[in-house]
Amino acid sequence: YVPAGDEKGEASLLYEEARVLSRADGAVTLETLESGEVRTLPAEQLLYANELPEEGVEDMTRLNYLHEPALLANLRHRFARDHVYTYTGKICIAVNPFNWQVSKPLYVESLLRTYRRQALGELPPHVYAIAEDAYQRIADDGGSNQSVLVSGESGAGKTESVKIMMQYLAVVSMSGSQNRVASQVMATNPLLEAFGNARTSRNNNSSRFGKFIEIQFDSQRRMSGARIHIYLLEKSRVVQQASGERNYHVFYQLLRGLSAEDCAASYLDVLEMEQLRLVNQSGCTTIDGVDDGADLQKTREAMAAIDMGEEERHQVLRTLAAVLLLAQLEFDQDGEEHSSVAGAAQPLLEQAAELVAIEPADLSHALCTRRLVTRDDVVTVPLNREQSGDSRDALAKALYGKLFSWLVERCNEKLVDDSASTAFVGILDIFGFEQFQTNSFEQLCINYANERLQQQFNWDIFKAEQAEYEAEGIEWQAIEFVDNQECLDLIDKKSSMGLLHLLDEECKIQRGTDEKFAQKARQTHAEHKDFDAPKGDQLTFAVKHYAGCVAYLCSGFREKNKDTLHQDLAAVMQQSQAEVVLALFPSEAPERESKRAGKPKAKGSDTMTVGSQFMTQLSSLMRTINATDVHYVRCIKPNTLNKPAIFDMAHSAHQLRCAGVLEAVRISRMAYPNRMPHASFVSRYALLAPSEWQAAHEVDMARARAAAPGDESARALCEGALALVVEDVARYQLGKTKVFFRAFLLEALEQRRGNALATYAVVVQKMLRSALWSRRFRLLRLSSVRLQALRRRQVQLSEYRRQRAAAIALAAAGRGLRARILRRRLLAAVRIQAAGRAAAARDRVYHLRRRLCATRLQAAVRSHRHRSAFTARRGAALRLQSKARMASQRRAYLRDLAEKKEEAKLSTQLAKLQARLQAEMEARQNA
């Protein structure tokens, strides 16, 4: 590997592969493989490359040359073949593939079960193996508690890795087909993701809080419960999101998943999503491939799984709706800068107050005024429009933050079972080291946590290195490594007023400002080697972390550190009639009673600053981790585009440095930076020994190549080869299974091996050229013989063809003559036969014609006879029919005539009777 050419950055991030062309006077001429550029560099600037097998190296501590470019090359090599997991000792490096559909399924249950009861390293690298190693250690008699620390930048896959390990522990610890506790533990994932995850510019499902989950196991090593610890929820996201980012998932689930009836009951039907300030500040409301409406059902099922009642779930959703409506409140301001809720926002105020079961007037008063308690009186001070807006945002953040903490407490109430627990596996999903263009208080806390975890990581690696030396029987002296305790003291040491303690002190001062805090930090730590303060910006200071120097802008530090809700707003919320809201804002009555009883006031998290609370939580976390056996999973995001099959070397190298992997490699290689199994050393460097020794041990070398690690014959052969190859015995030590080399010894051996191979190459080339020309001569001679044979064959073939053509022509002429004679005889016979057949045919035609004429005459006579008979019969039939019809019609006529006469007679009689009747009637009338 060679530096990439210019001075644009750290050389360790700018290496590329090259091929050696020549060496001369300590300079090496190389050709880069990617660009083909030819360069000449001093040998000390070069790093040797490893020859990687087809599938890469599963454990990178086995690489002969272990440095940053070698690690990156191996990770890229394995990533290109869909191997997303790689070990570095006991550290599992997980490279996010951004694609579940890799060439081989990674998370099917059949694969999961293959890792059961398998030691770490026996199967290909996987987080299943890390989870199995942790589970197996608590399953052993007298096993201790375990911790798995998962870290990486946003989008590296930390959350998915945690879920995968939790799923593994749930499956392997189940007794039978059902395990209600495991199901409840797994159900917390969608609940915490809905309320604690959001889309950011780097990740569609970024955890905006840290969590440590203690998965508890009983004496039978079955999952019996869990305890969830959370750290530093990003509450500022509730009221403010950057461009292209979203608020927490649950808000979008609520708006897209509620039924029309529930929306109306929560007053979310009065405004469109595009009008809601909390969910549409950035213009991003959807995530490709995510159905927020369907996810709401999963969130509800998760709440039901931890035994939240229907009314509790309903109140949680109403509280979320209240947060959305609170953010819509606008304020008016009079001439004296006294604010009040705008008239157009009064319906929203009433709806938000109803959702949290408080009086609208009390809420409005608390948002627009402040009560100041003096020694003699209580003064109510009106707020201006900007201050009222800050109160509104503070209440929204407090509501959401307390609701999230309450949900975690509800999970713990259901899941924690200390009475049955005998051991636990803790899984830490913590924010990775962060460095942006503008870094604020959140980044300081996050990077402080990473500093603390890096110190733990270094110590664990250092102890592992000591254990390997002892296991191999290597004599060693104490190794010093770069300890970041001074950087930690700069941040959290109280006696020297670390940055967080300085910030707490400034927060206690009523007239404190961010500018004064920055000035005090500069004055207090000006001489500290890990502190830097640019002269051009008085509000900025820089801390030299283990992963790089980060500049912090102090604007907003005090407000973010105090993160307190004014007592007036808290008092209003304590008057709520909703049980969930009352649980979020508990009354101070118990505290007063404890004071009356003379009990000291407990220092609760509500009275502490965010920095103090975070330091306390982190100290508690470190005590827990120190009491456990620790396992590490380092998640790497291979590119910033969130696309599969792209491995950005510089970006990945920066993450390896931030994850402390390179520091771990540096620690593990301090005393003896290179090591190699006995068989590998014999196989690679035996050619440097005298040829007599090689000939005498040829069989032993062949046997050693297949020998198991720690084989005594291979060790003895390796010891003999070392004595002949390396003159200074102080530069190496022979372990039980490996040879340990001091710095630069392996490189010197490699150079000697290269020179020896170059010498052998000249001899091989000479022999190859001799063999090549001998083979070429034999081929030429064989070709000439073949050409002569072909020529003779062609002459003989031509003569044969000419003679065969003449014989064929003679045979054809004889056959033609015989055929013509036979044809003439056949034609004569055919003519005679034709004449006989013609005469017989003419005779038959004559007789047929005569028979045809007679037949026609007979047919004509028969036709005439039958036609005459038919005509006579038809005429007779017609005459008979005519006479019958005539008689029938005559009878009908006579019958009709008689009827008409009878009718006329009756008509005459009727007329006479009518005339007679008329006459009688007239006569009676006249009488």
Side-chain angles (χ1 to χ4, degrees), residues 33 53 68 108 119 156 166 172 262 344 357 369 509 532 572 585 639 690 712 748 750 791 793 832 838 885 920:
L33 300 184
E68 181 180 302
V108 293
M166 289 178 65
V172 300
D262 290 339
T369 62
I509 301 174
D532 191 17
V572 169
F585 298 89
N639 61 79
E712 286 299 326
E750 188 66 27
R791 178 58 183 166
R793 178 180 176 276
I832 294 171
R885 284 194 296 272
E920 289 179 359

Side-chain angles (χ1 to χ4, degrees), residues 211-241:
K211 63 177 179 287
F212 183 67
I213 305 176
E214 296 179 11
I215 303 176
Q216 299 172 327
F217 297 88
D218 60 18
S219 59
Q220 301 299 318
R221 299 306 179 243
R222 293 174 300 191
M223 191 178 291
S224 62
R227 177 181 280 109
I228 303 172
H229 305 271
I230 59 171
Y231 309 97
L232 207 66
L233 176 70
E234 186 186 15
K235 289 190 284 188
S236 60
R237 178 170 294 274
V238 176
V239 297
Q240 185 177 9
Q241 306 96 46

Side-chain angles (χ1 to χ4, degrees), residues 193 386 482 504 529 541 687 703 722 764 783 900:
E193 283 190 20
E386 182 179 354
V482 178
D504 286 348
K529 70 181 186 67
F541 65 85
L687 59 87
R703 192 176 301 139
L722 277 167
V764 171
S783 298
K900 288 182 179 180

Side-chain angles (χ1 to χ4, degrees), residues 345-548:
Q346 283 295 332
L348 294 173
L349 174 69
E350 295 172 0
Q351 292 163 0
E354 180 182 343
L355 289 172
V356 292
I358 59 176
E359 292 297 326
D362 294 342
L363 178 59
S364 175
H365 184 72
L367 288 172
C368 299
T369 62
R370 281 288 176 272
R371 287 190 310 159
L372 300 180
V373 180
T374 64
R375 181 175 301 177
D376 301 323
D377 198 3
V378 177
V379 180
T380 301
V381 179
L383 303 180
N384 59 31
R385 181 187 300 168
E386 182 179 354
Q387 292 170 334
S388 296
D390 292 340
S391 295
R392 171 202 63 201
D393 292 346
L395 179 58
K397 291 190 292 184
L399 261 176
Y400 190 83
K402 290 178 179 292
L403 178 61
F404 183 72
S405 299
W406 178 81
L407 285 171
V408 174
E409 290 176 5
R410 289 288 284 112
C411 291
N412 288 335
E413 287 174 9
K414 183 61 185 174
L415 298 177
V416 174
D417 187 3
D418 291 331
S419 61
S421 175
T422 59
F424 70 81
V425 174
I427 302 179
L428 179 66
D429 177 5
I430 199 71
F431 359 71
F433 189 87
E434 291 188 353
Q435 183 176 8
F436 305 118
Q437 288 185 348
T438 301
N439 301 286
S440 188
F441 177 71
E442 295 88 352
Q443 281 69 48
L444 178 62
C445 291
I446 288 170
N447 293 340
Y448 163 57
N450 279 272
E451 283 283 356
R452 182 66 69 184
L453 291 171
Q454 181 63 26
Q455 184 185 50
Q456 176 70 31
F457 179 66
N458 288 348
W459 270 108
D460 287 342
I461 298 302
F462 178 64
K463 287 186 289 186
E465 188 70 8
Q466 288 181 335
E468 184 175 6
Y469 287 164
E470 292 172 359
E472 289 284 338
I474 300 298
E475 297 179 3
W476 62 285
Q477 297 177 349
I479 302 172
E480 294 184 1
F481 62 92
V482 178
D483 190 359
N484 58 347
Q485 184 60 49
E486 291 188 4
C487 184
L488 289 170
D489 292 342
L490 170 65
I491 299 174
D492 68 358
K493 191 172 183 179
K494 190 171 185 178
S495 60
S496 60
M497 292 305 291
L499 294 173
L500 292 179
H501 293 289
L502 270 178
L503 182 59
D504 286 348
E505 183 183 74
E506 192 66 21
C507 290
K508 294 176 184 177
I509 301 174
Q510 187 173 0
R511 295 187 178 182
T513 63
D514 294 328
E515 291 80 1
K516 291 180 180 178
F517 163 67
Q519 184 178 0
K520 289 181 180 179
R522 287 167 175 259
Q523 293 172 353
T524 305
H525 302 292
E527 303 301 323
H528 199 287
K529 70 181 186 67
D530 292 326
F531 183 86
D532 191 17
K535 297 180 180 180
D537 188 352
Q538 297 299 314
L539 269 177
T540 300
F541 65 85
V543 177
K544 298 175 183 178
H545 294 285
Y546 73 96

Side-chain angles (χ1 to χ4, degrees), residues 23 48 684-685 687-688 747-761:
R23 302 170 185 265
Y48 283 100
R684 189 167 185 83
Y685 297 111
L687 59 87
L688 300 179
E747 286 79 357
L749 289 177
E750 188 66 27
Q751 187 169 4
R752 288 174 56 190
R753 180 176 179 270
N755 294 335
L757 289 176
T759 302
Y760 292 148

Side-chain angles (χ1 to χ4, degrees), residues 751-866:
Q751 187 169 4
R752 288 174 56 190
R753 180 176 179 270
N755 294 335
L757 289 176
T759 302
Y760 292 148
V762 173
V763 177
V764 171
Q765 290 172 358
K766 179 186 71 173
M767 299 302 295
L768 284 176
R769 283 194 293 269
S770 173
L772 178 63
W773 283 106
S774 297
R775 182 172 177 272
R776 184 174 296 178
F777 168 75
R778 288 193 296 270
L779 287 176
L780 288 173
R781 184 177 63 181
L782 180 60
S783 298
S784 63
V785 170
R786 286 178 177 174
L787 284 173
Q788 293 170 3
L790 286 173
R791 178 58 183 166
R792 288 194 296 271
R793 178 180 176 276
Q794 184 179 6
V795 172
Q796 295 295 329
L797 185 60
S798 298
E799 181 63 22
Y800 165 75
R801 287 174 178 172
R802 186 182 63 78
Q803 292 179 2
R804 189 180 65 172
I808 291 172
L810 288 173
R815 286 194 300 271
L817 179 61
R818 288 193 297 272
R820 285 191 293 275
I821 293 173
L822 179 60
R823 182 174 180 275
R824 284 196 294 268
R825 292 176 180 174
L826 289 174
L827 286 176
V830 168
R831 290 192 189 101
I832 294 171
Q833 292 172 357
R837 285 194 295 270
R842 282 193 293 273
D843 187 54
R844 284 197 300 273
V845 169
Y846 172 75
H847 290 292
L848 287 173
R849 286 177 177 173
R850 284 174 59 85
R851 188 179 301 166
L852 179 61
C853 292
T855 301
R856 287 176 178 173
L857 287 173
Q858 292 171 0
V861 171
R862 284 194 299 271
S863 174
H864 177 72
R865 188 184 302 156
H866 288 299

